[in-house]
Amino acid sequence: MSDDLTRAAERFALTLIQYGLQRMTARVMAALLFTQQEALTAGEIGERLGVSSGAMSGALKNLISMGMIERVPAPGSRREHFRFRDGAWATLMSSQNDALNLMTRAADEGIATAGTETLAGRRLAEMRDFYSYMLGEMPALIERWHATRRPRAGRS
């Protein structure tokens, strides 16, 4: 990877870290996102990041469970290869529905405890209403995204 791409990947990783992603997970994600190769082994990622492949095992597992990366076969190689998944961003947002459900339920529980006519209850109701709205809108938003990505008949 060129020095410019390496610096851009590290800046991207720092942004992910600022938003709560674990440091190694963010760095591995950035390495796979910015590579010009189809797939990389854990050793190749580790070499680029200056860490051992063992230090990355948790990050790789996290990214696989998030739906961001996948293991892929590499003919003639016994090592596991990893690549950024097609559609990873929509998959990530789809998995956020679980978080939206959790936040909605947490708000409902808080309202039941605080009462609907209290200041806390009103704040929690706004939270519940926001997350309920997002939960209702997310599937249609993701479907519209997919529709913009599908090849259209008759187009070149």
Side-chain angles (χ1 to χ4, degrees):
M1 200 160 45
S2 73
D3 288 344
D4 287 343
L5 276 178
T6 299
R7 283 191 294 277
E10 286 296 326
R11 283 192 305 273
F12 183 80
L14 287 173
T15 300
L16 296 173
I17 293 164
Q18 286 178 324
Y19 284 96
L21 205 59
Q22 293 176 351
R23 179 175 160 74
M24 187 56 67
T25 303
R27 292 186 73 212
V28 170
M29 182 176 168
L32 285 166
L33 184 62
F34 279 80
T35 186
Q36 296 297 327
Q37 294 173 244
E38 180 65 28
L40 298 171
T41 66
E44 290 168 331
I45 298 167
E47 186 177 311
R48 290 172 187 219
L49 300 179
V51 299
S52 72
S53 57
M56 294 182 307
S57 64
L60 291 167
K61 287 178 188 173
N62 284 342
L63 291 168
I64 289 169
S65 70
M66 291 167 60
M68 298 303 290
I69 68 170
E70 62 188 352
R71 287 182 178 90
V72 291
S77 175
R78 293 185 305 197
R79 293 190 173 114
E80 289 184 319
H81 288 70
F82 301 90
R83 71 174 174 204
F84 215 81
R85 288 187 61 203
D86 289 339
W89 302 109
T91 300
L92 179 63
M93 291 309 296
S94 295
S95 69
Q96 294 300 312
N97 288 343
D98 291 339
L100 297 176
N101 273 319
L102 285 171
M103 296 300 284
T104 302
R105 284 196 304 272
D108 280 335
E109 289 173 13
I111 293 166
T113 302
T116 57
E117 299 304 317
T118 66
L119 184 55
R122 288 191 296 274
R123 287 185 195 125
L124 289 161
E126 181 182 359
M127 175 185 160
R128 179 207 51 217
D129 294 348
F130 174 78
Y131 284 109
S132 292
Y133 177 82
M134 295 301 291
L135 192 58
E137 292 295 314
M138 193 63 67
L141 184 61
I142 292 170
E143 180 52 38
R144 284 195 309 272
W145 163 252
H146 284 302
T148 67
R149 307 291 293 175
R150 288 186 195 118
R152 293 191 173 93
R155 287 187 82 183
S156 48

